[in-house]
Amino acid sequence: MSKGIKLFTIAGIRISLDYTWFIVFALFAWSLAFGYFPFRYPGFAKTTYVSMGLVSSFLLFACVLIHEMSHSITANRLGLDIHEITLFIFGGMAELTKEPDDPSVELKIALAGPAASAALALFFYLLSMTISFTDFPVAHAVISYLAMINAMLLVFNMIPGFPLDGGRVLRAIWWLKTGDMPRATMVASRIGRGFAMLLIISGVLQIATGNFTGGLWSVFIGFFLQSAAESGYQDMVMKRALKGVRVKDIMSAAVVTIDEKVTVAEAVDKYFLTRHHASFPVTGQGR
């Protein structure tokens, strides 16, 4: 996720935009401007709805950034090293250099993001109560939407399936109670994959009943979560399996070289297709 547009740095953490972010920003702005706001608040001009959609979409991603910043700042204070947050098509992702090695640290980091979303939802809700819809209808509509969407993000993220925050909370609690981090990861990962499958099935049903856009998003998010849950568990298994293993223990001891006079066709036939290495050193005149 490191490729993209570098924006600015906050508290030593670089904020970046993946190019896919522009796709989801446009989709959110369009769906709000021509779907949600006209349905909930009829009677405004089309240009007003477009402005509401753009502003709300921008502020939504600002809230996502605050959510990820809460994770990252907490992680850095607890000894982890997070240098970058990337906003992309499915929200935001903090670039972890390593996983926590203590369940209490994992729990604190996992809860930091949902706590920020809860605070934002409460803030926007209270703000909407102080702003009259009669006097400031556009501002009231946008602020009410932000209160609702932050509450929805909180609920969604706290679903107890890895890699969602709720899955990390479940893993941390299981790990804390049993001391078995691999087992805790496996359980949270399985729940995460199950939830992802529910999203995919729900998306397919929505598409079949006419809700193409909503269904397609459910399918995309489901596949993303399924892949992330599986890869998260596999990464943990791989790291534990390779811990303490030295390079010299797994390298090819008898190094196969190719003479510089060998043709490419011969190299393919006699080396790449028979010895199954990705590359070979080429030697010539003692070099």
Side-chain angles (χ1 to χ4, degrees), residues 188-267:
S189 177
R190 284 181 175 176
I191 295 175
R193 293 200 301 272
F195 174 65
M197 284 303 301
L198 286 177
L199 274 180
I200 294 169
I201 294 170
S202 172
V204 171
L205 292 176
Q206 289 180 65
I207 293 172
T209 55
N211 184 11
F212 182 79
T213 303
L216 196 61
W217 270 111
S218 291
V219 171
F220 282 157
I221 294 172
F223 276 118
F224 171 76
L225 290 178
Q226 185 181 49
S227 175
E230 182 65 30
S231 64
Y233 178 65
Q234 293 298 331
D235 286 347
M236 185 276 299
V237 171
M238 186 67 69
K239 286 176 182 178
R240 292 183 69 87
L242 295 178
K243 188 175 182 180
V245 178
R246 297 170 296 181
V247 174
K248 75 173 188 176
D249 297 329
I250 59 174
M251 69 175 287
S252 300
V255 179
V256 179
T257 62
I258 301 178
D259 188 88
E260 64 179 355
K261 295 179 181 179
V262 171
T263 66
V264 173
E266 291 174 332

Side-chain angles (χ1 to χ4, degrees), residues 14-178:
R14 184 170 61 248
I15 311 301
S16 301
L17 278 184
D18 186 76
Y19 295 112
T20 59
W21 178 86
F22 293 97
I23 299 172
V24 73
F25 176 83
L27 286 173
F28 265 105
W30 178 83
S31 64
L32 290 172
F34 297 100
Y36 175 80
F37 284 126
F39 177 76
R40 289 293 304 273
Y41 305 95
F44 296 135
K46 184 177 291 186
T47 54
T48 302
Y49 286 126
V50 171
S51 298
M52 293 167 72
L54 290 171
V55 170
S56 298
S57 187
F58 177 80
L59 291 176
L60 167 60
F61 278 97
C63 292
V64 171
L65 178 58
I66 292 172
H67 178 106
E68 293 300 328
M69 283 294 300
S70 299
H71 282 307
S72 301
I73 291 173
T74 302
N76 286 344
R77 287 177 176 174
L78 292 173
L80 275 72
D81 192 15
I82 296 179
H83 293 297
E84 184 172 8
I85 294 173
T86 303
L87 296 176
F88 70 121
I89 194 168
F90 292 118
M93 181 178 293
E95 304 288 340
L96 277 170
T97 56
K98 63 176 182 177
E99 290 286 344
D101 54 9
D102 182 88
S104 61
V105 171
E106 167 91 334
L107 184 61
K108 291 173 184 177
I109 295 171
L111 288 173
S117 292
L120 286 167
L122 179 61
F123 168 76
F124 285 118
Y125 173 75
L126 294 175
L127 188 60
S128 71
M129 293 294 99
T130 64
I131 295 178
S132 168
F133 179 77
T134 304
D135 297 329
F136 305 99
V138 173
H140 180 89
V142 170
I143 292 168
S144 297
Y145 168 76
L146 292 171
M148 178 196 70
I149 199 65
N150 275 286
M152 290 177 64
L153 286 172
L154 170 63
V155 173
F156 180 80
N157 271 292
M158 285 307 294
I159 291 170
F162 196 82
L164 297 172
D165 293 334
R168 291 187 176 274
V169 169
L170 172 63
R171 181 174 77 164
I173 293 173
W174 192 297
W175 182 9
L176 195 63
K177 294 294 184 181
T178 65

